[in-house]
Amino acid sequence: MSLAQSLALHVPDAELEAEPLDPEQIVSGTPIVTGKVLWGSEDSGQLGGIWQITPGVVTDTEADEMFVVVSGSATVEVQDGPTLHLKPGDMAVLRAGDRTTWTVHETLRKVYAVRV
């Protein structure tokens, strides 16, 4: 995706689209993932946008990513690494290949930049 024009967006009110979540990633609950890519492309190797997940527990293998939590809260356990306690205003960095377990306490919305 490349943008046709520059933009400004109020992140808390941005409308997001459903994103598939592999059922094998779900540990507990019925989390729903939504998001919106706002810049970049798979071809460029960089993407940025907004991502949201409702409460539940999921696993993932991460890409290189930096993000800022806009709303909600979660605990992210990095296998063989730290446990991240995330709340609004927190910035986090994940490394490509990190195996993580996300326990989402309140619907979490983040703004992210990722290298794919």
Side-chain angles (χ1 to χ4, degrees):
M1 162 185 201
S2 84
L3 291 175
Q5 61 188 17
S6 297
L7 64 86
L9 182 65
H10 187 66
V11 174
D13 298 331
E15 290 188 33
L16 306 179
E17 300 163 6
E19 292 187 2
L21 182 61
D22 182 343
E24 292 185 14
Q25 290 180 263
I26 299 172
V27 176
S28 68
T30 53
I32 297 169
V33 173
T34 54
K36 185 169 192 131
V37 174
L38 296 171
W39 64 267
S41 68
E42 295 274 343
D43 292 342
S44 73
Q46 297 181 29
L47 296 171
I50 303 168
W51 184 86
Q52 180 171 285
I53 186 169
T54 62
V57 180
V58 298
T59 60
D60 201 8
T61 300
E62 304 296 338
D64 282 327
E65 178 182 7
M66 181 179 75
F67 63 87
V68 175
V69 176
V70 176
S71 59
S73 65
T75 303
V76 179
E77 297 174 59
V78 180
Q79 183 178 326
D80 300 322
T83 297
L84 313 175
H85 302 279
L86 303 173
K87 61 188 181 316
D90 288 346
M91 185 190 87
V93 175
L94 298 171
R95 296 172 303 149
D98 279 348
R99 302 268 313 137
T100 57
T101 300
W102 291 67
T103 302
V104 181
H105 311 292
E106 296 174 72
T107 297
L108 183 122
R109 182 173 284 214
K110 67 181 184 178
V111 174
Y112 69 89
V114 64
R115 184 171 44 207
V116 291

